[in-house]
Structure formats: C-alpha cells, structure tokens
Amino acid sequence: VQLQASGGGLVQPGRSLRLSCAASRRIYSSYVLGWFRQAPGKEREFVAAIRWGVGSTYYADSVKGRFTISRDSARNTVYLQIDNLKPEDTAVYYCAISFSYSTMQNEYKFWGQGTQVTVSS
C-alpha cells in the first residue's frame, strides 16, 4: 500500500493546520495508522496513532490537547489536526501503517513521503 501525505506548509504560530494521508487502497480494520515527525537535527518521533477499525486514538504526551488524529474510512484517509501551532512543531510529518499499535517506528511497515510543516512568524 502506498501513502501520500499532504497539507503541510508555512504557518504562523497559534494557527491551525490539517494534514492528510491518503492510502492507495483499502485499509484493513486491523491496521494502525500513525503519524511521526522529524525535526531538523532530531530523531523521528511518534506523534499519534489510530486503530483503523475501532477508531481508538493514541498520542504522545508532548502533543496531547493540541493534536487530533482522525480517519475517513470511505476515503482511506487519515488526518492530523494540529491546533495552536508552535515553532517546536516545525518538522517533516510522516504517516505510516503498522499491523499493531506501537510508538516505535520500526513497527511501521509502510511509510508516506512526508510533508513539511514550518511554524514561523
């Protein structure tokens, strides 16, 4: 399955952004869709995940309250809503698929190409 991430851009602090990640085919209910991000000079880190079938969501502590992950099963698309953007949110954001829930990137088998989010005034 191929993943196409989009929605990034240059945004002022305090604004919101919604990232999208569309899959090339149907996502099975057992799959977990995750979002990761990699800031300049830092390791890629887990941001959020959603169990495709039941819709259970998981977040890194650092983004709870500002990030919301959701899905549209009909469109095979997962979203990441980011509110009250901060400069430290600047990163390349990646979506990925795992066969089970994990915060570890090596558990995710399919990756999108990433979309750049830059938060700056």
Side-chain angles (χ1 to χ4, degrees), residues 4 6 9-10 14 16 22 47 57-58 62 65 82-83 100 106 118 120:
Q4 180 72 40
S6 61
L10 173 62
S16 297
V47 173
T57 58
Y58 309 87
S62 59
I82 309 174
D83 296 321
S100 61
N106 60 4
T118 302
S120 175

Side-chain angles (χ1 to χ4, degrees), residues 46 48-51 54-59 68-71 101:
F46 171 80
I50 185 167
R51 293 186 185 272
V54 298
S56 303
T57 58
Y58 309 87
Y59 298 93
T68 304
I69 189 170
S70 62
R71 73 197 190 303
Y101 170 65

Side-chain angles (χ1 to χ4, degrees), residues 7-119:
L10 173 62
V11 187
Q12 293 180 330
R15 303 297 290 269
S16 297
L17 201 62
R18 189 176 79 159
L19 307 182
S20 301
C21 175
S24 59
R25 62 165 176 79
R26 175 178 168 247
I27 299 174
Y28 295 110
S29 60
S30 59
Y31 285 4
V32 174
L33 272 288
W35 283 98
F36 289 77
R37 67 183 180 183
Q38 188 167 18
K42 294 188 176 181
E43 298 285 323
R44 190 179 300 184
E45 64 175 354
F46 171 80
V47 173
I50 185 167
R51 293 186 185 272
W52 197 255
V54 298
S56 303
T57 58
Y58 309 87
Y59 298 93
D61 288 342
S62 59
V63 305
K64 283 181 181 177
R66 294 193 302 118
F67 287 36
T68 304
I69 189 170
S70 62
R71 73 197 190 303
D72 184 334
S73 299
R75 297 178 183 273
N76 296 315
T77 299
V78 62
Y79 303 99
L80 185 68
Q81 175 75 28
I82 309 174
D83 296 321
N84 189 22
L85 277 154
K86 302 178 179 182
E88 52 262 41
D89 295 322
T90 295
V92 178
Y93 285 73
Y94 299 90
C95 55
I97 290 176
S98 175
F99 301 134
S100 61
Y101 170 65
S102 176
T103 62
M104 307 299 293
Q105 58 178 316
N106 60 4
E107 293 293 326
Y108 287 77
K109 307 307 180 185
F110 304 99
W111 289 82
Q113 85 288 3
T115 184
Q116 175 72 48
V117 173
T118 302
V119 184

